[in-house]
Amino acid sequence: MDSVYSSSSAIMSLKPPGSDSNSVVTPRSGGSRNSFTSFSGSGHKVGSPRVVMENKPKIVVGDNGYVLEDVPHFSDYIPNLPTYTNPLQDNHAYSVVKQYFVNVDDTVAQNIVVHKNSPRGIHFRRAGPRQRVYFEAEDVHACIVTCGGLCPGLNTVIREIVCGLHHMYGVKKVSGITGGYKGFYSRNTIPLTPKSVNDIHKRGGTILGTSRGGHDKSKIVDSIQDRGINQVYIIGGDGTQKGASVIYEEIKRRGLKVVVAGIPKTIDNDIPVIDKSFGFDSAVEEAQRAINAAHVESESIENGIGVVKVMGRNSGFIAMYATLASRDVDCCLIPESPFYLEGPGGLFEYIEKRLKENGHMVIVIAEGAGQELPSESINSMAKQDASGNKLLQDVGLWISQQIKDHFSKRSKMAINLKYIDPTYMIRAIPSNGSDNVYCTLLAQSAVHGAMAGYTGFTVGPVNGRHSYIPFHTINEKQHKVVITDRMWARLLSSTNQPSFLRTKDVIEDKGDEEIQEHCSDDNLVNKEISYTSN
């Protein structure tokens, strides 16, 4: 491991090495209450707290099951770096703040719902400005890159990184890498200043352009070195964050003083640990417009059916939350919840029942739902896009045709079906007010972490507090709807649809309920967070 710190007082082990105020101390002889021991990955005691073991997490272990999943720091692999006073203490904007800086001991708990005898559990380092920084403003050359698909809020994050670096830390040199990862080695850059990015948050998309794939770590790091870049801000989804992790490892291997900071972006909200991803609120809000159109169409004609397809490759959060927010949806289909068409309890039977009761209905389906149903999907199983994502069938179009065929051939009921696919319209809109505030906090938290010498991290809110999360934690799994959780139960209650689960499916899924009991999807609702508390 990078460093595994075992301590009887975990809080004392949180301070990163590299400055007088933040130094890590080795244990005194005899071992005091507030001392700790550094171990290598093999568990052997070592003489110095600076232990570098590649590709391993950096863990702090303390009393009562306390675990800190810490993020890398320059001082882990570059000794004797100078530090500087944080210029925020002289910044007029921060003069009204009682406490300028985040306490170096502050961590954020991953789970906040516990039993009285529960262990303290996993924590992450709290984001925010530190008293000492590892860069002087005139030495910083930062760059920003956006990768993967579009998402509301990309331009806002770009703007706030540029403005945060400039206004808070006095950094003047910021470059935009255009065209995604490929832009590093095709040498496509544009200068970014507060003036040039002033109004970009009002537009959808990204002013830097984007692409999938194009990840050649050696070429990318060569380009970073050649240009004298020492802060890299990477905005993208799970594939992009995996790429950022590889870039960080190569930079660490070369011993470069270069920060790699990730800002997680996915419209599907499928990144784990964080409360939600930016752009998600905007996507839910825009999806409701399509649902409303489907509702108007369906109720205006006899036996009208409106089918709306929304984004959600592997996670059905947009579909679920848009359904709950809308109240006009009769059936929501997501990738996590299997469903079937024919027979008792199937989708066709439910549609017939609903039409007889109400005379119309609205179905919302996530793009990744029911992908095993179309026979044609067998031919596309091995096909992937440049980011390594499996190419999906248009399940919305397919299921619309199946419904039409069923009612025309096997039922005497005539139907009128309208299919609406707003997926690319949703992801191309500018972010709404809630997401704009959120993007500002993400960007500023990333800037504070970079200036303080942290690297190899993704930033995001954990239980309402912005935190620095190591890449390996973000990249190890995807966040998905737990269909044995209360949130999905609320949806079923709202739509009054069947679960489409057979008894066997429920028994198999019960295991997830135990895992998710203390970190349920209630978080997304109960945390309509006052992000400004950070």
Side-chain angles (χ1 to χ4, degrees):
M1 292 185 178
D2 268 339
S3 297
V4 180
Y5 301 115
S6 176
S7 172
S8 60
S9 178
I11 294 299
M12 292 301 294
S13 66
L14 304 185
K15 297 178 182 179
S19 70
D20 291 338
S21 61
N22 292 339
S23 60
V24 173
V25 292
T26 51
R28 303 181 183 90
S29 58
S32 72
R33 170 77 180 160
N34 291 332
S35 65
F36 69 94
T37 305
S38 177
F39 292 89
S40 71
S42 61
H44 298 297
K45 197 178 294 185
V46 293
S48 165
R50 191 175 64 83
V51 183
V52 177
M53 302 291 285
E54 287 198 14
N55 300 316
K56 297 294 183 181
K58 182 179 175 183
I59 306 294
V60 176
V61 179
D63 285 347
N64 303 316
Y66 176 96
V67 176
L68 169 66
E69 290 199 7
D70 206 356
V71 295
H73 192 269
F74 280 156
S75 53
D76 294 337
Y77 63 95
I78 306 176
N80 304 318
L81 283 174
T83 64
Y84 312 95
T85 301
N86 192 324
L88 278 180
Q89 68 181 26
D90 302 316
N91 188 299
H92 74 280
Y94 273 71
S95 64
V96 298
V97 181
K98 274 189 177 180
Q99 184 178 342
Y100 296 144
F101 305 114
V102 170
N103 191 300
V104 293
D105 294 335
D106 284 357
T107 62
V108 178
Q110 182 174 7
N111 295 333
I112 56 173
V113 179
V114 295
H115 299 303
K116 62 181 180 180
N117 296 322
S118 296
R120 293 177 64 191
I122 293 173
H123 291 63
F124 301 101
R125 191 174 287 277
R126 186 182 175 191
R130 266 56 179 177
Q131 286 183 314
R132 308 293 294 176
V133 295
Y134 282 72
F135 294 95
E136 290 189 294
E138 58 268 23
D139 297 330
V140 174
H141 181 188
C143 76
I144 305 170
V145 63
T146 53
C147 306
L150 297 182
C151 177
L154 283 167
N155 282 332
T156 307
V157 175
I158 294 167
R159 181 190 190 278
E160 297 308 322
I161 291 173
V162 174
C163 292
L165 283 166
H166 188 279
H167 297 314
M168 293 190 296
Y169 290 98
V171 172
K172 301 294 192 294
K173 193 171 184 182
V174 185
S175 300
I177 307 295
T178 61
Y181 278 134
K182 295 175 184 176
F184 278 104
Y185 43 89
S186 60
R187 307 195 72 80
N188 296 335
T189 61
I190 57 173
L192 299 174
T193 64
K195 184 176 181 180
S196 69
V197 300
N198 186 53
D199 292 325
I200 65 173
H201 62 290
K202 300 173 184 177
R203 307 180 220 163
T206 164
I207 62 162
L208 299 179
T210 186
S211 66
R212 296 187 184 276
H215 192 279
D216 186 319
K217 71 175 182 181
S218 295
K219 286 184 179 180
I220 291 171
V221 178
D222 286 346
S223 175
I224 289 169
Q225 273 191 275
D226 292 345
R227 300 183 201 195
I229 293 168
N230 50 21
Q231 291 187 10
V232 183
Y233 297 92
I234 300 175
I235 310 169
D238 51 355
T240 301
Q241 299 303 312
K242 286 173 185 173
S245 178
V246 172
I247 292 169
Y248 156 70
E249 291 294 343
E250 178 63 15
I251 285 172
K252 183 175 76 169
R253 189 187 68 79
R254 299 188 190 188
L256 304 178
K257 185 188 173 186
V258 178
V259 165
V260 180
I263 294 92
K265 172 233 65 172
T266 168
I267 202 169
D268 294 347
N269 195 45
D270 59 1
I271 291 180
V273 181
I274 64 174
D275 298 337
K276 62 180 175 182
S277 52
F278 76 81
F280 176 70
D281 278 354
S282 302
V284 169
E285 188 176 299
E286 189 67 14
Q288 287 179 75
R289 301 180 195 277
I291 292 170
N292 183 59
H295 181 247
V296 169
E297 286 282 351
S298 65
E299 72 171 356
S300 299
I301 194 166
E302 185 181 5
N303 292 331
I305 301 175
V307 178
V308 180
K309 186 183 81 172
V310 296
M311 302 195 89
R313 176 177 291 275
N314 299 301
S315 303
F317 288 104
I318 293 178
M320 180 170 72
Y321 278 84
T323 294
L324 280 166
S326 159
R327 309 293 177 181
D328 289 328
V329 179
D330 300 281
C331 185
C332 177
L333 304 172
I334 61 173
E336 296 89 338
S337 182
F339 64 93
Y340 53 99
L341 304 180
E342 307 275 359
L347 180 62
F348 292 153
E349 182 183 80
Y350 175 62
I351 292 172
E352 273 193 59
K353 175 175 176 285
R354 212 64 180 146
L355 290 178
K356 287 175 181 175
E357 289 174 349
N358 293 344
H360 64 275
M361 76 175 299
V362 174
I363 301 171
V364 171
I365 184 166
E367 62 180 330
Q371 284 291 316
E372 71 284 356
L373 296 177
S375 57
E376 292 85 0
S377 66
I378 297 171
N379 300 324
S380 66
M381 283 295 186
K383 296 180 181 177
Q384 297 180 334
D385 64 18
S387 294
N389 299 313
K390 186 179 73 176
L391 292 175
L392 302 179
Q393 295 292 310
D394 189 338
V395 70
L397 195 60
W398 179 84
I399 206 164
S400 296
Q401 191 58 51
Q402 294 301 306
I403 293 169
K404 288 178 183 177
D405 291 345
H406 172 81
F407 282 94
S408 65
K409 295 175 183 177
R410 305 179 193 179
S411 174
K412 296 178 181 178
M413 186 183 294
I415 64 164
N416 291 279
L417 187 145
K418 307 295 183 186
Y419 174 52
I420 299 175
D421 181 355
T423 50
Y424 290 99
M425 293 174 65
I426 289 173
R427 73 180 198 167
I429 63 169
S431 51
N432 64 12
S434 171
D435 271 322
N436 274 335
V437 173
Y438 180 24
C439 290
T440 300
L441 295 178
L442 284 173
Q444 291 188 3
S445 294
V447 167
H448 292 316
M451 293 299 294
Y454 294 108
T455 182
F457 68 85
T458 293
V459 66
V462 178
N463 292 313
R465 294 286 178 178
H466 282 246
S467 309
Y468 299 134
I469 305 161
F471 282 137
H472 72 86
T473 302
I474 287 290
N475 293 332
E476 62 190 9
K477 63 180 180 179
Q478 281 187 316
H479 184 211
K480 295 188 177 185
V481 174
V482 179
I483 59 172
T484 52
D485 184 59
R486 291 186 188 89
M487 205 62 199
W488 185 243
R490 292 183 183 114
L491 180 138
L492 297 179
S493 176
S494 174
T495 61
N496 203 28
Q497 71 186 69
S499 69
F500 300 113
L501 284 177
R502 299 176 174 91
T503 305
K504 178 176 74 71
D505 298 322
V506 175
I507 292 171
E508 288 176 355
D509 249 352
K510 277 291 182 184
D512 287 339
E513 188 175 20
E514 300 303 317
I515 296 169
Q516 296 287 339
E517 186 175 347
H518 301 311
C519 53
S520 83
D521 294 317
D522 290 354
N523 290 345
L524 276 169
V525 165
N526 294 339
K527 281 191 249 120
E528 275 307 313
I529 311 163
S530 173
Y531 285 116
T532 52
S533 65
N534 288 276

